[in-house]
Amino acid sequence: MAMAGRIRFSFHTRMLLTTLAICWMLVGTCMCFQYYREKSFKASLLDARLQMHNERIADDLRQGEHIDSIVSRIGVPVAELRVTLIDINGNVVFDSNDKTPFPATNHNTRPEVTDARANGTGHAVERFSESDDVYYFYSARIADDGMVIRSAAPYTHSLADFLKADSTLIWIMAVMTVIMSLVSFFATRKISFSIKRLNRFAEKAEQGGHIYSDEAFPDDELGNIASNIVKLYVQRDEQHREAIRLEKDKIRLKKQLTNNINHELKTPVASILVCLELLNDHPEMESKKKEEFIQRIHANARRLSALLKDVSVITRMDEGADMIERCEVNLSDIVTDIVEEESLRTDMKIMLHMPMLTINGNRQLLESIFRNLIDNAISHSNATEMKINADENGNFIISDNGCGISSEHLPHIFERFYRIDKGRSRQSGGTGLGLSIVRNAVAFHGGKIEARSNCGLTYTFQLKVNKKAT
């Protein structure tokens, strides 16, 4: 209940009150210090005037002149000045104030007398005189014979005005206090603006509200910090949302891949089972027919093997890309070996033009890029010529002069299990994963592949190759 009833001030109010308290304490301290210094300075001036008067009296006494004639001759520097002589025992032996009797008390206990006997001179700013009930400013000096000469100026209106500190300073400090208060108000309000915006940002973040990265903050250090915090949160939120989206896409692709694999496996497995059942049920079948069924079983078995191999590659890149081994390989040797191997099984002319390139990558995935692209051209393009060109920066252009692909299919050719002519693709032994493997393998090596169809099919992509030392 005590906490609930406590008044809670805003951050701006607390900061303003703290700043004002510090400013006022500083100004007040300066005013008190200056007031004390000014009053002490004026007291020192008055003391110096009275000490000069005491020094003249001491000089005349030293010449043997009587005190009465000295006082009447030299006059007084301050109106109604009272001159007193105090012997070494503290007794008053002369007092120019004839209106009151000599005080009988020991004057060696008076502070101005004590200081004079200890230091040669002494003064008391405002002390009450018991002999005539008046406040005096006392200034004392010791003579050669131990006699103390004391001058006492009564606190009349003129003396009080003289010793009073100048009020101009007080007004100046008051004006400065007002100015500092206004400056503190606007400065703390500007700071609190960033705090309020951050507080609203925190509330929206806690409630899951949409936050924009272009929130306006003051153009200062705190505003920049607040703006950067909001931008970092927005980036982190976007990255989180993107990660969720990618995870959902990954789950969707997994399900799609599983469904497609089941579908792709059914056809070769069913064909193999049918052939085996016919061979088992008809042992008397002609040898030529048996040979045909055995070849069909072999073709479907090879298709199953290729499908499982491609699925394994796709799965590795999807789930363990960071765990795939990398090493420095000679890309030129890899492409040259593949071109020589593929040229042995086709009449299509394959022309290779590329410089010596090395890459920090995975040999198996690099082979899959060029082998799948060449296999596609051999199996589906009806091309008679294929060109593979590359420059020193790893930019590749692979083109053929085949039939190309219609525009409606071109955006989908890198999707998994996408086929332009399903029947023809299955007959050629294709798995529908070749170009998807190519796209992922290129991305694994820091590039992006694109395809365009114009008098054949052309692929362009870049691999992140090692730069040659200069």
Side-chain angles (χ1 to χ4, degrees):
M1 293 296 293
M3 291 295 292
R6 185 179 297 174
I7 299 176
R8 294 189 62 186
F9 294 104
S10 66
F11 176 81
H12 178 217
T13 303
R14 294 198 306 272
M15 179 175 284
L16 179 61
L17 291 177
T18 302
T19 306
L20 290 179
I22 294 173
C23 291
W24 293 345
M25 286 176 62
L26 180 62
V27 171
T29 303
C30 292
M31 288 177 63
C32 292
F33 176 73
Q34 187 62 28
Y35 178 83
Y36 173 78
R37 282 192 62 184
E38 187 175 356
K39 196 167 184 179
S40 298
F41 175 72
K42 290 185 175 182
S44 297
L45 287 178
L46 179 60
D47 180 57
R49 290 172 63 187
L50 296 180
Q51 291 294 357
M52 290 177 62
H53 183 70
N54 294 339
E55 179 66 23
R56 290 181 63 187
I57 293 175
D59 288 341
D60 290 343
L61 287 174
R62 200 177 295 116
Q63 299 295 328
E65 190 175 350
H66 193 270
I67 184 65
D68 287 329
S69 62
I70 296 173
V71 171
S72 60
R73 179 173 55 81
I74 65 176
V76 292
V78 178
E80 300 182 19
L81 185 71
R82 179 180 175 184
V83 178
T84 307
L85 296 182
I86 303 167
D87 65 14
I88 195 169
N89 296 319
N91 299 314
V92 175
V93 296
F94 173 80
D95 195 318
S96 62
N97 184 8
D98 54 2
K99 297 178 182 179
T100 59
F102 280 8
T105 57
N106 188 342
H107 277 54
N108 281 340
T109 60
R110 302 292 192 269
E112 68 278 4
V113 176
T114 302
D115 290 343
R117 294 195 181 279
N119 306 314
T121 60
H123 73 274
V125 175
E126 187 175 0
R127 189 170 59 77
F128 181 72
S129 174
E130 297 177 356
S131 59
D132 54 2
D133 297 332
V134 176
Y135 282 93
Y136 284 97
F137 180 96
Y138 291 98
S139 182
R141 172 180 291 274
I142 190 168
D144 295 339
D145 57 356
M147 186 78 69
V148 173
I149 305 166
R150 187 183 70 177
S151 298
Y155 264 84
T156 60
H157 181 72
S158 58
L159 181 61
D161 287 343
F162 173 77
L163 292 177
K164 185 174 64 175
D166 190 358
S167 61
T168 305
L169 174 66
I170 298 176
W171 285 107
I172 292 174
M173 299 301 284
V175 172
M176 287 181 61
T177 303
V178 173
I179 294 174
M180 291 173 68
S181 300
L182 291 174
V183 171
S184 300
F185 172 77
F186 289 108
T188 53
R189 188 177 70 167
K190 188 175 182 181
I191 295 174
S192 68
F193 179 72
S194 297
I195 303 297
K196 287 180 181 179
R197 295 298 300 271
L198 274 177
N199 188 42
R200 288 199 296 269
F201 153 72
E203 290 176 354
K204 290 177 68 176
E206 184 179 4
Q207 297 169 2
H210 189 73
I211 298 172
Y212 299 94
S213 59
D214 56 351
E215 296 273 354
F217 287 94
D219 187 17
D220 53 24
E221 289 82 357
L222 184 58
N224 291 337
I225 292 173
S227 179
N228 289 333
I229 290 174
V230 174
K231 288 179 181 178
L232 286 173
Y233 178 85
V234 171
Q235 291 176 3
R236 184 172 174 270
D237 185 57
E238 290 175 351
Q239 290 172 358
H240 180 66
R241 295 176 187 272
E242 181 66 15
I244 293 175
R245 188 188 66 78
L246 291 175
E247 186 63 26
K248 289 181 178 179
D249 288 346
K250 196 173 182 181
I251 293 173
R252 180 181 58 80
L253 288 173
K254 279 184 179 179
K255 290 181 179 179
Q256 184 181 5
L257 179 62
T258 302
N259 293 334
N260 288 335
I261 290 173
N262 290 335
H263 178 73
E264 293 295 327
L265 288 174
K266 286 179 181 178
T267 302
V269 169
S271 180
I272 290 172
L273 287 175
V274 169
C275 292
L276 289 174
E277 287 174 359
L278 288 172
L279 290 173
N280 185 57
D281 294 341
H282 300 280
E284 74 285 355
M285 187 181 300
E286 296 180 2
S287 58
K288 185 177 180 181
K289 199 67 174 177
K290 287 182 179 181
E291 183 67 26
E292 181 183 339
F293 285 136
I294 291 173
Q295 289 179 0
R296 188 176 297 177
I297 292 171
H298 183 259
N300 281 285
R302 289 183 61 186
R303 183 178 168 200
L304 282 174
S305 176
L307 178 61
L308 294 174
K309 181 180 178 182
D310 287 349
V311 169
S312 175
V313 173
I314 287 286
T315 304
R316 283 178 64 200
M317 286 190 287
D318 280 349
E319 306 209 355
D322 294 338
M323 300 177 65
I324 296 177
E325 181 182 357
R326 288 177 181 264
C327 62
E328 186 173 308
V329 294
N330 190 316
L331 186 58
S332 305
D333 291 345
I334 292 175
V335 179
T336 301
D337 292 342
I338 292 173
V339 169
E340 290 177 356
E341 291 176 13
E342 295 295 329
S343 295
L344 296 175
R345 69 181 188 89
T346 180
D347 295 331
M348 185 179 68
K349 185 179 181 181
I350 305 175
M351 293 174 287
L352 174 63
H353 300 282
M354 66 178 293
M356 184 65 66
L357 299 175
T358 59
I359 186 171
N360 185 33
N362 182 270
R363 185 181 186 88
Q364 181 184 355
L365 295 182
L366 290 170
E367 288 180 353
S368 68
I369 295 173
F370 298 94
R371 199 176 296 279
N372 277 302
L373 293 178
I374 294 174
D375 284 344
N376 267 17
I378 294 173
S379 303
H380 308 300
S381 70
N382 297 323
T384 60
E385 186 179 279
M386 186 176 193
K387 296 179 181 179
I388 301 176
N389 296 313
D391 61 19
E392 294 183 351
N393 296 319
N395 295 303
F396 283 84
I397 300 175
I398 301 179
S399 60
D400 61 57
N401 61 351
C403 58
I405 298 175
S406 61
S407 58
E408 61 185 277
H409 296 295
L410 198 59
H412 307 287
I413 62 173
F414 294 106
E415 296 176 6
R416 297 173 184 181
F417 295 105
Y418 186 83
R419 289 188 177 91
I420 298 172
D421 185 347
K422 297 183 179 180
R424 185 179 174 189
S425 296
R426 286 196 175 95
Q427 288 176 5
S428 63
T431 64
L433 293 173
L435 289 181
S436 179
I437 291 173
V438 169
R439 180 187 62 185
N440 285 274
V442 169
F444 178 82
H445 291 91
K448 181 179 180 181
I449 189 168
E450 296 179 350
R452 66 178 185 272
S453 181
N454 185 16
C455 298
L457 191 60
T458 301
Y459 300 96
T460 58
F461 58 92
Q462 182 182 27
L463 299 178
K464 192 175 180 180
V465 298
N466 299 333
K467 297 293 184 180
K468 293 182 179 180
T470 56

